[in-house]
Amino acid sequence: MAVKAIEVLEAWRQGFLSGDSAPLSEMLHDDFIFIGPSGNRSKQETLDWVSSTPDLIQSESEVLYENDEMFVGIHDIIRSQGRGTAKIMFFARFKDGQVSYFRVHLVPTGE
């Protein structure tokens, strides 16, 4: 069964909160790539980041569009290491029922 966008996003949010990236791991394809403002991450690098960044706080996400191939949406974050707040726009692709690609665009919104 294919994973839904909101399930992935909630697993990501909970992973930051709890330090447990195992639920997210099951939703990411083995070939997963994350592209963000600080560079690219593999699946394992992404899982390590999620499980070791408890000071990054992600708001609930709003999925703007989703189909069988991709999803796009927005959420806010309180950035880690005291770097302020930001608005995030994300785009992701599905492959074999899992997320294979996740790209974010970050716009700082405050200190």
Side-chain angles (χ1 to χ4, degrees):
M1 184 166 104
V3 67
K4 296 291 185 189
I6 201 68
E7 297 168 338
V8 174
L9 297 163
E10 185 58 19
W12 209 296
R13 188 171 81 83
Q14 290 299 321
F16 282 123
L17 285 172
S18 70
D20 181 9
S21 62
L24 180 61
S25 178
E26 297 174 14
M27 299 176 184
L28 303 182
H29 196 275
D30 289 341
D31 297 334
F32 176 83
I33 184 87
F34 176 91
I35 300 174
S38 60
N40 299 350
R41 292 184 174 101
S42 67
K43 178 180 179 177
Q44 190 58 56
E45 290 167 332
T46 299
L47 296 171
D48 292 345
W49 170 56
V50 169
S51 65
S52 65
T53 314
D55 57 340
L56 191 152
I57 301 170
Q58 176 184 320
S59 70
E60 290 188 19
S61 299
E62 180 179 355
V63 177
L64 302 174
Y65 181 80
E66 178 178 8
N67 65 24
D68 292 341
E69 298 175 358
M70 53 80 69
F71 62 93
V72 64
I74 57 174
H75 64 77
D76 296 317
I77 62 169
I78 298 173
R79 300 171 74 192
S80 63
Q81 301 172 355
R83 294 181 291 158
T85 59
K87 175 75 71 183
I88 302 291
M89 181 171 191
F90 53 84
F91 170 82
R93 289 189 200 121
F94 292 117
K95 179 179 179 181
D96 302 328
Q98 295 176 303
V99 177
S100 63
Y101 176 91
F102 200 95
R103 182 172 186 147
V104 301
H105 177 71
L106 179 145
V107 177
T109 56
E111 296 296 323

